[in-house]
Amino acid sequence: MRTAILGSNISHPLCLQVCQFLAESLDSQGPTLVPVEQAESLLCRFRPQVLVVVLSPNPDRTLTALSKVRTQVGGTILAVGPTHDSKLILRALHEGVTHYLDETDLAKQFEAVLPRLQGNDVATTPEMVGHTISVLAAGGGSGASTLAVNLAVTLAAESQRCALVDLKPGVGDLAALLDLKPTHTLADLCLNPSRVDQVMLEKALVHHASGVGLLAPPLQYEDIRLLTPQGIHKVLALVRAGFPFVVIDQEDCFHEEQIMALRQADTILLVVRLDFTSLRSTRRMLDYLGQMSISKDRVQLVVNRHGQAKELPVEEAEQALQVKLTHLIPDDPSSVNAANNTGVPVVLKAPTSKVAQAIVRLGKSLLPASAAQTPRPLSSSKSGVMRWLSPFR
């Protein structure tokens, strides 16, 4: 079982004591020691099944680090700290801690929680966590939703299954782009997050012939209020545990549930267009992601609808953003509109088109080395004319 210890001082006696407990009971190879300064970079790669957060000697600094990395942990989070400060305990629980252990009686506390760690709390945590890709638009009309759908279909062809999460409450239209009619949504799963499991998640998904499993946003505006950061956090953890690839179509980068998704993503695709307003928005988003301590190597820029008349040159855009634009998706309104209006992704409806081929190349470039397999051919959906009329996104 993969374990890790997060602390502001990993040589603190409490850290050493926790390390001994974990080595003797859960992790014979010994836990990974994670200083708060390296929390995001280490936990993003390691993804422990059990994370022990040692709050002393600097609880505030440690919990601040935890708030940035909690979505990188697919299993149980324990906190070891003082019990005389109720506000500290509440803050730790708010940050996703499952069990809070008294640092003055650690041996007895750890012995009590050990059966839970060896049982249901971590039994559903797999050895591999789904490779997660967040798609974020730099502005309206970027075509991010169309890109997300087609990337999901491409990745499903590599592994037979890919989850597609529509995290755009109120405006999401991925179901229409796939000609699907969901009966359950994210709102249903967020009603009681503590009871949600893989069985409930599977029932909430609506499946496409390509192998994509869609998790739709609330169908009614009044149900949007049911979405909570805690519920989304639990659902995304389950999705990552059940699928080799996960594509998330994001609404923005500042609501808490959106930030959760961005923090746990292995790759963030920022979809831009080569015009002044889009580039200005892109610059602001890049700066904001940096302020959230999201490393630059996790963010890739995708120029969508490339080749439009009077657009800015790629070289000027790269100079303005100080970022290399390596992914260029050509503008092909004929192929894309025909695909969207029939609910059949363009990589299935027009696989030889330049736009479809560019999206497939992008999808293949995102595959981790460990996920390389012999892909199965992209097969066209049996869906007929789309039952919705939705704007191009």
Side-chain angles (χ1 to χ4, degrees), residues 58 169 329 340:
N58 193 329
I329 310 298
N340 288 354

Side-chain angles (χ1 to χ4, degrees), residues 331-342 344-346 349-350 352-356:
D331 187 39
D332 187 354
S334 177
S335 297
V336 172
N337 288 341
N340 288 354
N341 289 336
T342 55
V344 181
V346 71
K349 189 174 183 65
T352 60
S353 64
K354 290 183 179 180
V355 62

Side-chain angles (χ1 to χ4, degrees), residues 19 65 74 123 154 168 293 321 329 346 363 372:
C19 185
T154 299
K168 289 183 174 179
S293 300
L321 298 173
I329 310 298
V346 71

Side-chain angles (χ1 to χ4, degrees), residues 206-227:
V206 55
H207 294 279
H208 188 262
S210 64
V212 172
L214 172 66
L215 188 54
L219 302 177
Q220 307 297 329
Y221 285 121
E222 57 266 29
D223 290 340
I224 294 176
R225 61 181 176 82
L226 299 176
L227 301 183

Side-chain angles (χ1 to χ4, degrees), residues 108-188:
K108 186 175 181 180
Q109 295 273 304
F110 200 90
E111 182 180 353
V113 79
L114 184 59
R116 303 183 190 181
L117 300 181
Q118 295 172 326
N120 293 332
D121 278 5
V122 296
T124 57
T125 304
E127 288 300 313
M128 295 298 293
V129 178
H131 190 82
T132 306
I133 300 160
S134 282
V135 181
L136 179 63
S142 299
S145 292
T146 295
L147 182 62
V149 164
N150 284 276
L151 276 178
V153 172
T154 299
L155 293 171
E158 297 291 331
S159 60
Q160 282 68 58
R161 276 166 60 87
C162 177
L164 178 60
V165 181
D166 195 335
L167 210 54
K168 289 183 174 179
V171 297
D173 50 17
L174 301 189
L177 297 178
L178 287 167
D179 194 24
L180 296 174
K181 257 193 170 178
T183 55
H184 300 285
T185 72
L186 271 169
D188 300 315

Side-chain angles (χ1 to χ4, degrees), residues 131-279:
H131 190 82
T132 306
I133 300 160
S134 282
V135 181
L136 179 63
S142 299
S145 292
T146 295
L147 182 62
V149 164
N150 284 276
L151 276 178
V153 172
T154 299
L155 293 171
E158 297 291 331
S159 60
Q160 282 68 58
R161 276 166 60 87
C162 177
L164 178 60
V165 181
D166 195 335
L167 210 54
K168 289 183 174 179
V171 297
D173 50 17
L174 301 189
L177 297 178
L178 287 167
D179 194 24
L180 296 174
K181 257 193 170 178
T183 55
H184 300 285
T185 72
L186 271 169
D188 300 315
L189 297 178
C190 287
L191 285 172
N192 194 345
S194 62
R195 297 184 58 187
V196 176
D197 56 19
Q198 288 287 356
V199 174
M200 295 177 66
L201 172 66
E202 194 65 30
K203 289 181 179 179
L205 294 168
V206 55
H207 294 279
H208 188 262
S210 64
V212 172
L214 172 66
L215 188 54
L219 302 177
Q220 307 297 329
Y221 285 121
E222 57 266 29
D223 290 340
I224 294 176
R225 61 181 176 82
L226 299 176
L227 301 183
T228 63
Q230 294 78 14
I232 297 297
H233 170 64
K234 177 67 176 291
V235 169
L236 291 181
L238 287 172
V239 171
R240 291 165 57 222
F243 287 83
F245 296 102
V246 181
V247 176
I248 306 173
D249 190 17
Q250 304 228 196
E251 183 176 30
D252 56 55
C253 60
F254 50 84
H255 285 103
E256 186 173 356
E257 74 278 1
Q258 307 288 332
I259 294 174
M260 281 183 182
L262 289 170
R263 288 196 184 284
Q264 76 179 50
D266 298 285
T267 303
I268 299 171
L269 297 180
L270 186 51
V271 186
V272 307
R273 294 177 61 181
L274 294 179
D275 58 58
F276 175 76
T277 55
S278 180
L279 294 182

